[in-house]
Amino acid sequence: MDRQNREMNTIFLTSQANKVLKGIVPLLPKQPSEYKVVFIPTGAALYTDAPWMHADRDELVRLGFIVNDLGLDTASPEEVASATQDADIIFVAGGNTFYLLEHARRTRFDVAVKEAVSAGKIYIGSSAGAVLAGPDISYVASFDDPEKASLENTKGLGLVNFSVIPHAGNSKYKELHDAVLIEYKDWDYPLVLVSDNQFVVPIREGWEIMDV
């Protein structure tokens, strides 16, 4: 990634953030200890055990970020507005994307995060958090149960104009990935496969995938 695009970028979309944060840190203009992170674990709230979410949070702490949690499923719109305004980085962890979107709308996090990114704050999405950043989340209905949420539509945050398919190359998801690529081959948005050891950033001409 050239220096000009690197300086412009404030969005990092990952499959499994704990594996690639060490590659994102050098692209940030400041040291981790200078960043306040609001950590959104909401997508994992439906699961009895969510090791992927805890691994992401633990890695942020290990790297030196100042981390504060914000559960959209229990927060008020006022709390969400205050937390996003106070943070330097908004980190959205993985889980059920539909449930995550429902509470992003209920708390107006969808509005707050767009304002934050427009103001130059950083967005890091992990798995469902990466899917949420795109224009629409309907393509992950075979990965996440849409019935776990009450949604009028599946419009995403629209922070980027492409759609991340996380966990590319993971044999556990190969059949699902293949089916999605066939079903959505003529979709309105580009589908971008991202492995657990990669992250993707938007650039002027689309996106760039970075290997770690």
Side-chain angles (χ1 to χ4, degrees):
M1 184 188 304
D2 65 59
R3 181 174 175 79
Q4 185 177 25
N5 274 326
R6 180 184 303 175
E7 290 178 345
M8 289 175 54
N9 193 262
T10 57
I11 298 172
F12 302 90
L13 305 180
T14 79
S15 283
Q16 196 166 336
N18 63 87
K19 292 191 174 183
V20 300
L21 280 168
K22 62 182 179 288
I24 293 174
V25 166
L27 303 181
L28 303 179
K30 298 187 292 186
Q31 294 299 311
S33 59
E34 299 178 77
Y35 287 104
K36 291 185 288 185
V37 178
V38 58
F39 183 86
I40 312 293
T42 305
L46 297 177
Y47 298 84
T48 303
D49 189 26
W52 65 87
M53 181 269 289
H54 295 294
D56 283 353
R57 192 186 190 285
D58 289 347
E59 182 65 1
L60 286 166
V61 173
R62 188 191 72 79
L63 289 168
F65 291 97
I66 302 164
V67 181
N68 293 294
D69 298 334
L70 178 68
L72 301 182
D73 49 334
T74 57
S76 68
E78 293 75 22
E79 289 170 328
V80 166
S82 176
T84 53
Q85 287 168 9
D86 186 57
D88 305 301
I89 296 176
I90 298 160
F91 186 106
V92 183
N96 186 298
T97 317
F98 298 94
Y99 183 81
L100 177 59
L101 177 59
E102 176 185 357
H103 289 286
R105 289 182 181 168
R106 181 189 63 79
T107 59
R108 293 183 60 79
F109 174 76
D110 57 342
V111 175
V113 74
K114 289 179 195 174
E115 292 175 350
V117 171
S118 294
K121 297 189 179 187
I122 295 164
Y123 180 96
I124 301 176
S126 185
S127 194
V131 173
L132 184 72
D136 193 289
I137 71 167
S138 60
Y139 68 100
V140 295
S142 57
F143 294 81
D144 300 335
D145 185 357
E147 298 301 318
K148 297 294 185 182
S150 178
L151 294 168
E152 292 182 0
N153 60 66
T154 54
K155 183 179 178 181
L157 298 179
L159 300 179
V160 298
N161 60 2
F162 55 86
S163 299
V164 169
I165 298 180
H167 313 299
N170 186 325
S171 59
K172 177 181 176 182
Y173 300 104
K174 185 181 186 308
E175 289 186 10
L176 290 173
H177 287 160
D178 290 347
V180 167
L181 290 171
I182 292 170
E183 181 178 356
Y184 288 87
K185 63 183 177 64
D186 297 319
W187 206 32
D188 294 336
Y189 315 108
L191 296 171
V192 180
L193 288 157
V194 180
S195 79
D196 291 348
N197 295 302
Q198 296 175 324
F199 62 92
V200 60
V201 296
I203 58 175
R204 283 197 189 99
E205 317 227 335
W207 62 88
E208 183 172 356
I209 294 175
M210 310 287 287
D211 293 295
V212 177

